[in-house]
Amino acid sequence: MKILLINPPMVLDQDPRHYSIGIGYIDRTLRDLGHDVEILDIDGYRFEKEEVSARIRSSGPDIVGIGGLVTVYPYLHWLVPEIRRLTKGGKIILGGAVASSLKETCLGKLDIDFAVIGEGEVTIKELMEALEGRREISSVKGIGYRDKDKAVFTPKRELMPTLDGVASIDYGKFPIAKLLVNSGGVMQVHVQRGCPWSCTFCFNCYRVVANGVRYRKVRDVVEEIEYLKRTYRVSIFALSGECILSDKGWVAEFCREITSRRLGIKYRVTSRVDTLDEESLKRLRDSGCVIISLGLESGSDKILKVMAKGATREDNKRAAILAKRYIPTIEASLMFGYIGETEETVRESVEFFKEIGIKPYIFFATPFPGTKLFDMAVSKGRIKDVDDYLIGLDRASVMELTINLTDMPDDVYRDVIYAGVNSLRRHFLKRNILNFSVFRSISAHMRQSGIKDTAWKIIKDLGMLGNKG
């Protein structure tokens, strides 16, 4: 069959930085089955709607597959009718997090034929067999469809027990050079799926029980990195997964493989505070890890408990201080405005990040469908009109204050949050200006003394520049 896979724009006011891993895997899966597959990467190229329509028309697909995060939902209200208009009789399949988190809404509000819920590689194979008349639609697990205007959902599909059979992505189908420019040379490499934790703000299609996290084979990942290093100008490889360090055995093997092949790469990993240990950090440092992403989220035990982080302020402090000893850059996230946030909890977070000396990446609590935070926001009346809220998802940015989830009045809430943000910005700006002045002074003195190329190392070893964030 002729199949068109569409990657809608995720966040319209931000330049695209990464290719769609999900679309890439579905593309390869379908092509391995012998289908003629084309990718329309609206997000990557940022095509105008006229261009999108023209490309859909010229493609003439039998089937259109759409995937994306929940933030694409508003765009689908234009895209799906346009596909219907341009492809008479074609089937429309919606997958990705948007279909999984809004399955009833998508089938009720959008004129799609099928919703693929959860992992799609196996489901799409069986769904194609059904569309070719080789099996009954109702026998395909993990899908939703309409039967006489009624939404029908088949039994939930089990997660893939292993990622060994996941095919390689055809990177040539994405505008990788453009994406690398936008991301500053950072490129994602899919490593791991699944998370045994249940933070209330997080939506995860691949939620699993403890010890059920799945990884790709180390050799497959490293060979993919070697290929990407040869082919593209990648500065930093971002290992993609919910929590890379949750399996220390995999991490140890990965570090050994990177070191033994002498790849000389720089890379980034994700971790929780309770998965960090000194031995793993040493391995990471020695094999090229230069960034570790830690979801600290708050410096208040009260807020951490509401988030169900399973960590305390002291846990966060211990992990952050330990990570700073070995990894040059710590990406520590801070989320302001959570349910239960007060002036006191904001102050606790501000003082916490000043104390550990890490400039945080600041986000604002935003309830996304499929999360416990969304359910909490609805039940507490913070989201009064769900349909209206969903239509505005493309404007719901974690980088902006879009919704007040606290018990503070709106004007007080904004003043308190922005006071916390500005306090942190002033603190770290002042510290960096001071450290840079000291560095320039020492560096100039060392050059005058005939000492070269060591000033930066000495300053860094002394910890005078702290976290490069």
Side-chain angles (χ1 to χ4, degrees), residues 32 119 126 141-142 147 149 162 166 172 183 212 214 216 240 284 296 353 405 410 413 427:
D32 286 348
E119 288 178 310
E126 295 185 5
K141 289 184 177 181
D147 184 10
D149 294 327
T162 174
V166 173
S183 68
R214 298 148 300 147
R216 295 175 61 201
S240 175
L284 290 167
L296 302 185
F353 279 92
L405 300 175
D410 288 350
Y413 157 74
H427 173 82

Side-chain angles (χ1 to χ4, degrees), residues 132 134 149 159 165 169 178 300 356 421 428 430 462-463:
E132 293 168 340
R134 294 189 283 128
D149 294 327
L159 293 173
I169 292 174
K178 173 185 176 181
S300 165
I356 64 174
V421 171
F428 285 99
K430 188 184 300 183
L462 289 173

